[in-house]
Amino acid sequence: MTEDLNTQLVQVLGRIYPGEDLDDLARRVIDVVWPEGHAPRITQRAPSNDLWSQDDSVLITYGNSVLDGVHKPLDLLYDFLSERLDGVVNSVHILPFFPYTSDDGFAVTDFEKVEPTLGDWPDIQRIGARFHLMSDLVLNHVSSQGKWFNAYRQGQPPYDGFFFEADPKDDLTMVVRPRTTPLLQEVETANGPRNVWCTFSHDQVDLNYANPEVLLEVLRIIRLHVDMGVRILRLDAVAFLWKEIGTPSIHMPQTHAVVQLLRVLTDFLEETVVLLTETNVPKAENLSYFGQSNEAHAIYNFPLPPLILHAMLSGSAKYLRRWQATMPPAPLGCVYLNFTASHDGIGMRPAEGLLPGTEIAQMIQTLTNDGALVSMRTLPDGTASVYELNCGYYPAVARTFKGAEEWHMERFLTSQTIVMSLEGVPAFYIHSMLATPNDLEGVERRGMNRAINRHRWDYETLLERLNDPESDQAKVLHALSERLKLRSRQPAFHPNATQFTLALDERVFGIWRQSLDRRQSVFALHNVSDETVDVPLDALNLIADAHWHDLLSGEEIHPEIETVALAPYQCRWITNTP
């Protein structure tokens, strides 16, 4: 044990558990994270931008996104990754692959096992040996039917103190949450009836982190997952972790202290482990999880999905550009995770204050006319507000505000190219990579809006589509794969390379990227409209005497010409290196 590690643990634990024996608690934390056979680094890993590069990109998928009724889904996933995405992405986020009872894996019954219908730990480890593996640390809650909650109801220590209780008479009016179901659920226990806190659903019961035994148990799980090859820990729903009666119970100081504790521990791990916080909230709240470069390594860039979607539907990058121009670069040792789609819907909370209400209403109207669904959340005053739009991203851009259906695929590819161009690491949901249609049958069969974007492909059918060069699936996967491979060779697309937002025609979203060594510049231009737009070259500030060309088209760009044309939904990556 290093003295510096112990000192830092005592300090941060003191902000979470001021009444505890902090030296003893720090010792217990170290024993859990570094059991026999493990040892911490002698020196703490310093914040740097060396944990990622332009080679990094992430695929987001469920363990059973592809099925054939014969092979283990994790075997099929490994085959798909190896055969179709090798050299395209180098990281894979497998959504919760543990035994569960609801919410497609986010009501976990046992964090120490792999869901048997998917496979087992060796199958997870095989994927982790070939790709950087991301797993979900579902910090906030567990299944109401899991072993922890069953032991709680039976009054078995230490689980009898594992869950957060409240009284229906308590003042809970300030509580912020993303659902409309009742917050408290009454359950019978060996100690009589209790009302337990359920932020998300009554099958997802919130843990009580005021009890340090809960934290220690979660750290044991982290140790197991790291041993099994996990290298990116997604801290699911972390914003709701700490509760106090009479407060909003979101983004509490103790929550940030817990993330700081995890950062200290990962900084001392021999294994390189990255912390990613999942906080689907407005900008300032989301950015707060970088801390002072002492909390999350990475945060989701949650405003991107609604802002890019609005740009593609409206034909104007006005609001996307305005937001991006005000975004700070990620601090040293930190990075943004950029995406447009995930297993959830298109979150609308991050658009609050960024898009006018009339524009949001038009987005909702346009998408729902095409079969998209809407999920709501309850506000503190008891009213309901739009929480997310439920649809796939490929079908989301099927038509514009004007009703135009032409250029569907080009619109989609532009939306994904923007994600590749921005400062940060790009991430792509499997159903975006595969141009998957909305699964309306899945919604009807499963009775949940989010099923619309959680299709499970029959693997044989999928391979037939991918082997047909005229299918949407083949065209989209090929185009995105080629652009990602091209992107990975450009130092100017390092996740922390310089970025400047260009003031261009509002139909064009343009940014300038410059490599960390300042040798390469890329002017990334994206026409979000169905019109041809001429961009003045003097707005790009091309360095004289350099050879400029468009990486995407191969076209040479001569600085002496006055403008460069962008066809409808065309993207250009204009660079000064071969």
Side-chain angles (χ1 to χ4, degrees), residues 304-318 320 340 363 366-367 393 396-402 404 406-418 506-507 509 526-530 568-571:
L304 277 178
L307 287 175
I308 291 178
L309 179 60
H310 176 269
M312 305 317 302
L313 299 184
S314 68
S316 169
K318 173 183 176 181
L320 174 63
T340 57
M363 288 174 66
T366 301
L367 266 64
Y393 218 82
V397 297
R399 70 183 73 233
T400 66
F401 285 168
K402 297 185 295 185
E406 190 181 8
W407 311 106
H408 179 191
M409 187 167 295
E410 290 79 5
R411 260 195 304 278
F412 177 73
L413 294 177
T414 298
S415 73
Q416 304 307 294
T417 305
I418 291 173
E506 73 173 36
R507 293 169 293 178
F509 178 67
H526 317 84
N527 185 355
V528 302
S529 78
D530 59 2
Y569 302 108
Q570 183 180 4
C571 300

Side-chain angles (χ1 to χ4, degrees), residues 510-525:
I511 52 175
W512 169 56
R513 303 294 309 280
Q514 187 181 59
S515 59
L516 296 174
D517 63 9
R518 304 184 71 176
R519 292 182 179 180
Q520 183 188 26
S521 287
V522 172
F523 292 91
L525 309 177

Side-chain angles (χ1 to χ4, degrees), residues 178-223:
R179 297 292 186 272
T180 56
T181 53
L183 175 62
L184 299 183
Q185 175 186 193
E186 183 176 307
V187 296
E188 290 296 328
T189 76
N191 298 314
R194 294 287 187 272
N195 286 280
V196 292
W197 191 289
C198 301
T199 297
F200 291 90
S201 79
H202 284 184
D203 190 37
Q204 295 163 291
V205 188
D206 287 34
L207 293 164
N208 178 20
Y209 279 86
N211 178 357
E213 297 299 328
V214 172
L215 176 66
L216 290 168
E217 195 62 34
V218 169
L219 295 180
R220 289 187 186 94
I221 292 165
I222 291 176
R223 177 73 264 174

Side-chain angles (χ1 to χ4, degrees), residues 533-550:
V533 182
D534 291 324
V535 176
L537 280 188
D538 59 10
L540 302 187
N541 205 20
L542 302 185
I543 301 170
D545 303 321
H547 174 77
W548 294 92
H549 66 287
D550 179 3

